[in-house]
Amino acid sequence: MTTGTDHPRRTRIQQEKRELILEAALEVFSTNGFRGSTIDQIAEAAGMSKPNLLYYFRRKEDIHETLMQRLLDTWLAPLRELDDIGDPLTELRSYIRRKLEMARDFPRESRLFANEILQGAPRIMPLLAGELKTLVDEKAAVIKGWMRAGKIARTDPWHLIFSIWATTQHYADFDVQVRAVLGPNRGGDGRFEDAARFLEQLFLDGLKPKT
Amino acid sequence: MTTGTDHPRRTRIQQEKRELILEAALEVFSTNGFRGSTIDQIAEAAGMSKPNLLYYFRRKEDIHETLMQRLLDTWLAPLRELDDIGDPLTELRSYIRRKLEMARDFPRESRLFANEILQGAPRIMPLLAGELKTLVDEKAAVIKGWMRAGKIARTDPWHLIFSIWATTQHYADFDVQVRAVLGPNRGGDGRFEDAARFLEQLFLDGLKPKT
DNA sequence: CAAATTTTTGACCGATTGGACAAACGTTAG
DNA sequence: CTAACGTTTGTCCAATCGGTCAAAAATTTG
């Protein structure tokens, strides 16, 4: 092992240029979708010629695939961290907060994912029905345990997870609409804190067991 | 006025064929986005040749624009109906129900809209910042009135509306993911009723004023 | 240094794209 | 029936698409 990872052996330039391309491709793919994006667009955004880009990634699909693989690892990290050890309400609250922070800090990744799902998930369908389903089922079981123990209100764990995904990712995927509706005053940087406050109230008061 | 509407005068065949094209275009645009869709795809889905399609709509953009105009009217109807006359909690509950029904019955329209927003809303931005913002502000004022009257819990009306949009449209836009995660058993036709039950509990228990 | 290797580029390819156009075909009113 | 009008199609076009290739330029290695 000379490269430090199990990647194919790569030079310094290859590392840097591939990173540059992936960064540019994230920008382009996330706003135009796969079919709507062109290699020329990505190459221009990366500041290189098309043949040069194709020297690092032989096909357009290879770029998208690499981007997608990286995305899913980090994207599901917050859910993986959802654990049985802490206080249930606190765990859920911090899961929501983490997801909202990801929508704020990685909106392009969120949109890339949304584009893929919107188009029928042709490239990651097996992953959804396999790895993702397994993870969600596992966490749903944890949540069910909390419900049985009376720590949170009884409801559908799967749809609870969906609603957390939907509400948080909304601030990345529909950002344009959110800012347009909130207007210049409330649509500024503070909108994520407002959203955090609102979501905390919505979910916690809704989930709190009757006292 | 001979045609009964203010449309340009059209023959029977034009009416029918234009409808056929719009139906096909809805299918294609909603799954591939604007740039990712081709006139040939739409023509084939509509069962006609490309030149024939271009006889009814001179440009690809014209089809998309027509589709978009129709969409927005029906899409915002549920929010327009949100009224000050009924019981606040009942009003909100039926708004959520109506939006969920639209996600179930018109998923392609939802995806068409999602695609447009995801791509930065280049074709409807003025509408968002104009008509839509006005409508939401108006309804937010209604909701604020309910809060002041102690009918529902105090929270941010704008983000409340966002969360209703997000959670309901999720079942149309991310349908593939929802079904993959729920699996064959729970991902069938009953999933919308499960979602309705869950959302009602989430929102109502969260909004109920402290007694 | 010089040789070997890696990186970059310009020119090019066939396929597909959005769209134009005139000719052919259908339909209908007089 | 026939002339006028509406509809459909085959052909064509310039631009753009994803991708190739050989040669030039830059870099690394000995």
Side-chain angles (χ1 to χ4, degrees):
Chain A
M1 182 121 79
T2 56
T3 52
T5 73
D6 58 348
H7 289 310
R9 184 187 301 252
R10 294 200 178 107
T11 68
R12 175 187 53 88
I13 292 184
Q14 276 171 346
Q15 292 275 9
E16 290 171 5
K17 291 295 171 87
R18 282 176 62 95
E19 222 51 48
L20 210 76
I21 292 168
L22 289 172
E23 157 69 22
L26 176 60
E27 188 74 29
V28 175
F29 279 141
S30 67
T31 56
N32 295 113
F34 181 76
R35 290 207 51 189
S37 304
T38 71
I39 300 183
D40 293 272
Q41 282 179 310
I42 300 171
E44 195 197 331
M48 62 180 70
S49 65
K50 181 169 63 170
N52 197 8
L53 182 148
L54 285 165
Y55 170 71
Y56 294 103
F57 291 91
R58 297 163 75 146
R59 295 179 312 150
K60 183 184 169 186
E61 271 209 57
D62 291 349
I63 311 175
H64 191 268
E65 196 184 317
T66 305
L67 227 39
M68 222 59 193
Q69 280 170 359
R70 289 197 183 187
L71 167 61
L72 283 166
D73 278 340
T74 58
W75 206 242
L76 294 176
L79 184 57
R80 287 213 174 83
E81 289 176 28
L82 191 75
D83 224 323
D84 208 358
I85 47 175
D87 172 57
L89 280 181
T90 309
E91 280 289 316
L92 280 176
R93 211 185 59 204
S94 65
Y95 175 52
I96 293 168
R97 186 168 36 76
R98 263 194 295 259
K99 281 293 286 181
L100 190 60
E101 280 166 5
M102 293 199 64
R104 182 193 59 196
D105 299 334
F106 305 104
R108 299 176 307 175
E109 281 82 353
S110 184
R111 281 193 282 264
L112 179 67
F113 187 75
N115 256 306
E116 175 70 11
I117 302 291
L118 256 185
Q119 289 164 19
R123 282 166 281 271
I124 60 164
M125 184 48 124
L127 223 143
L128 296 185
E131 197 181 335
L132 179 63
K133 175 172 168 40
T134 305
L135 177 64
V136 174
D137 285 348
E138 186 188 318
K139 298 306 181 182
V142 171
I143 294 173
K144 262 204 159 122
W146 293 341
M147 291 176 187
R148 268 194 298 272
K151 300 284 188 180
I152 62 173
R154 284 182 189 275
T155 185
D156 189 308
W158 285 271
H159 289 277
L160 171 57
I161 291 174
F162 292 154
S163 70
I164 294 174
W165 288 351
T167 49
T168 54
Q169 290 174 7
H170 187 82
Y171 291 97
D173 303 341
F174 287 72
D175 179 57
V176 177
Q177 182 180 245
V178 166
R179 277 187 287 115
V181 167
L182 288 180
N185 297 332
R186 304 201 57 232
D189 293 337
R191 68 189 188 277
F192 281 98
E193 285 149 40
D194 293 341
R197 260 191 300 276
F198 167 79
L199 290 179
E200 182 157 335
Q201 183 179 344
L202 173 64
F203 279 97
L204 288 195
D205 287 356
L207 293 172
K208 211 177 285 172
K210 310 270 190 280
T211 52
Chain B
M1 182 119 79
T2 55
T3 52
T5 73
D6 58 348
H7 290 311
R9 184 187 301 252
R10 295 201 177 107
T11 68
R12 176 186 52 88
I13 293 184
Q14 276 172 346
Q15 292 275 8
E16 291 172 4
K17 291 296 172 84
R18 281 176 63 95
E19 223 50 49
L20 210 75
I21 292 168
L22 289 172
E23 158 68 24
L26 176 59
E27 187 72 30
V28 175
F29 279 142
S30 67
T31 57
N32 295 112
F34 181 77
R35 291 208 51 190
S37 302
T38 71
I39 300 182
D40 293 271
Q41 283 179 310
I42 299 171
E44 195 196 333
M48 62 180 70
S49 65
K50 181 170 65 171
N52 196 7
L53 184 147
L54 285 166
Y55 170 71
Y56 294 103
F57 291 92
R58 296 161 77 140
R59 295 178 313 151
K60 181 183 169 186
E61 271 208 57
D62 292 348
I63 311 175
H64 191 268
E65 196 183 317
T66 305
L67 227 38
M68 222 58 192
Q69 282 171 357
R70 290 198 183 186
L71 167 62
L72 283 166
D73 278 340
T74 58
W75 207 241
L76 294 177
L79 184 57
R80 287 211 174 85
E81 290 177 28
L82 191 76
D83 223 324
D84 208 356
I85 47 175
D87 171 58
L89 281 181
T90 309
E91 280 289 316
L92 281 176
R93 210 185 58 202
S94 66
Y95 175 53
I96 293 168
R97 187 168 35 76
R98 265 195 293 260
K99 281 292 285 180
L100 191 60
E101 280 166 6
M102 293 199 63
R104 181 193 61 194
D105 299 334
F106 306 104
R108 298 176 306 176
E109 281 83 351
S110 184
R111 281 194 282 263
L112 179 67
F113 187 74
N115 257 308
E116 176 69 11
I117 302 292
L118 258 185
Q119 290 164 18
R123 281 166 282 269
I124 59 164
M125 182 49 123
L127 224 143
L128 296 185
E131 197 181 335
L132 179 63
K133 176 172 167 41
T134 305
L135 177 64
V136 173
D137 285 348
E138 187 187 317
K139 298 305 180 181
V142 172
I143 295 173
K144 262 202 159 120
W146 293 341
M147 290 176 187
R148 267 193 299 271
K151 301 283 188 179
I152 61 173
R154 283 182 190 276
T155 185
D156 189 308
W158 286 270
H159 289 277
L160 171 58
I161 292 173
F162 292 154
S163 69
I164 293 174
W165 289 349
T167 49
T168 55
Q169 290 173 8
H170 187 81
Y171 291 98
D173 304 341
F174 287 72
D175 180 57
V176 177
Q177 182 181 247
V178 166
R179 278 187 288 114
V181 167
L182 288 180
N185 298 332
R186 303 201 57 231
D189 293 337
R191 67 189 187 277
F192 281 97
E193 285 150 38
D194 293 341
R197 260 192 300 276
F198 167 78
L199 289 179
E200 182 157 335
Q201 182 178 346
L202 173 65
F203 278 97
L204 287 196
D205 287 357
L207 292 172
K208 212 176 285 172
K210 310 270 191 280
T211 51

